[in-house]
Amino acid sequence: MADGKDFQYPAFYQLPPFFTLQPHASVRAKQLELWKQLISEYCSFHRLFIINLREEPLFRNAQLARQLPSEARKVLAEHLVQQQAALWADEAAKERLLVLWRSVAGWADLILQWAAENGLMGSVETVQSLMDGEAAEGQEFYGAPRELIMAALQELVRRNRATLFRGSSGSEGVKFLSA
Amino acid sequence: MRRKPGIAGLIREKEQQSAYGAVGEQLEADKDQQARQHLETLQSSLKSFASKHRNRINSDPQFRKSFCDMCIAAGVDPLSSSKGLWDELLGVGQFYSDLSVQVLTQCMRTRDENGGLLDLRQCLANVRRARPGEKLALEDLERAVECLAQLGPGVSIRFCGRQRLLCSVPDELSGDTAQVIELAAASGGKVCAADLLRKGWTTDRADQALLHCIREGLCWVDKQDEAVPLWCWFPSIALAELEKPMSESTA
């Protein structure tokens, strides 16, 4: 969590028009870019993985009496996904976003590095243990949502550095492979 | 000079003129020579002054301004970036060339968010951040813009009430647009149709002017004020206002 220092909002956050979807194409592009950066920094700062489009307090500036309308939030979310700055946590409902303040590849690197450093090459781990196991405590990915861990592991599978399977008890497992 | 009629008269006149012309040219040449000598003396004094006070010129904005004013009064261009003794002794030309590149970079970098209108104070803040430890004043930016002007039109300084904006909008700003910006500059960066109506504009004229600004990407819109259907915000002016510390009266 934040270590005493407050999150620094960008200057634009204090301007009312930041919360209205801009009609002009380049201005809108700039606006979406600014929001994308803000969301990434905000989530990274607070170690937030998932934001709920409807409820997220970041989209509302009470002091200015302004908030990003739901239509604008949808456009923003689509932009984030298109820019690979986020993934839908729920493809069907499209209400929750998994924010990638670190890229999937970046998360994959972290997990792989941790596995190598802890002598886990060739051994089998449960996906659950990555999320909340003792060995993973203190790691950046500790406490990350399942969707993110799975996305990172699938990236490792693509790189031939892991295989995923379902264990006899029904739990998902991963085997890390040496290079 | 009396005019004599007839061809003879015309020929005579021509001869007289060319005689006058020759004398006149000689006078001009002498004047030129004198002027050149005068200028050279002046330049050499300025150069030795500059070289003696070089550090102070580069580090003290007030002193720098006085020095440049002195040069201009003497008819010597301190911004001339031509090679030679001037630049070598001084580095002043270099100083402003570098700064003008910085200014241009700022204009380009912020173009998407302000449509080509960058508040000079915001530009100064940005450049100061990029060159920490160096003392820069608004006058330095103004001189840098003059430096840019030598390269061609493209960046100019517009005066909007008390604010100054760096304008890198490709097309000329119409009178109405300029007035809208000026009004915004006087009210922290925002303007609405009602503001223009209060100035005696018709609804049509106000709407058209604001629409033009929006279409050109010069402003951002805010539609969430219950009292005002549409606010047009000029972000650079507004941001410069936000950055202004309480203690500063004028940037």
Side-chain angles (χ1 to χ4, degrees), chain B residues 22-106:
Chain B
V23 171
E25 274 166 29
Q26 186 58 43
L27 280 176
E28 283 300 308
D30 284 347
K31 250 199 311 183
D32 236 9
Q33 173 81 323
Q34 263 183 4
R36 219 174 294 134
Q37 271 173 356
H38 183 70
L39 197 64
E40 274 167 17
T41 314
L42 198 57
Q43 274 184 347
S44 121
S45 313
L46 279 171
K47 282 181 201 176
S48 68
F49 179 92
S51 107
K52 225 193 306 175
H53 299 276
R54 181 198 182 135
N55 285 333
R56 193 157 170 217
I57 291 172
N58 279 331
S59 64
D60 180 346
Q62 193 55 46
F63 192 75
R64 180 161 60 235
K65 178 184 190 309
S66 303
F67 173 70
C68 285
D69 286 346
M70 187 166 70
C71 289
I72 290 166
V76 175
D77 183 0
L79 301 179
S80 154
S81 52
S82 56
K83 307 257 172 224
L85 207 51
W86 192 236
D87 248 346
E88 283 173 29
L89 275 185
L90 217 46
V92 168
Q94 194 57 46
F95 177 89
Y96 284 109
S97 295
D98 288 346
L99 195 54
S100 66
V101 170
Q102 290 263 332
V103 168
L104 196 60
T105 308
Q106 284 305 319

Side-chain angles (χ1 to χ4, degrees), chain A residues 11-12 14-24 26-27 30-31 34 65-69, chain B residues 109 112-113 214-226 231 233 235 238-239 242-243:
Chain A
F12 262 94
Q14 307 308 329
L15 296 189
F18 193 51
F19 298 83
T20 297
L21 192 59
Q22 294 305 307
H24 187 277
S26 332
V27 178
K30 183 67 189 184
Q31 178 186 31
L34 288 169
R66 295 287 186 275
Q67 61 166 327
L68 214 51
Chain B
R109 220 181 250 156
D112 280 340
E113 67 187 48
I214 297 168
R215 259 201 305 266
E216 294 300 307
L218 294 174
C219 66
W220 290 47
V221 303
D222 168 36
K223 294 186 180 163
Q224 293 179 38
D225 190 333
E226 283 167 1
W231 279 108
W233 282 81
L239 289 176
L242 281 180
E243 280 199 35

Side-chain angles (χ1 to χ4, degrees), chain B residues 197-211:
Chain B
L197 294 184
R198 265 192 288 276
K199 295 204 81 182
W201 289 31
T202 62
T203 310
D204 252 354
R205 186 179 169 200
D207 289 341
Q208 281 309 310
L210 293 179
L211 263 173

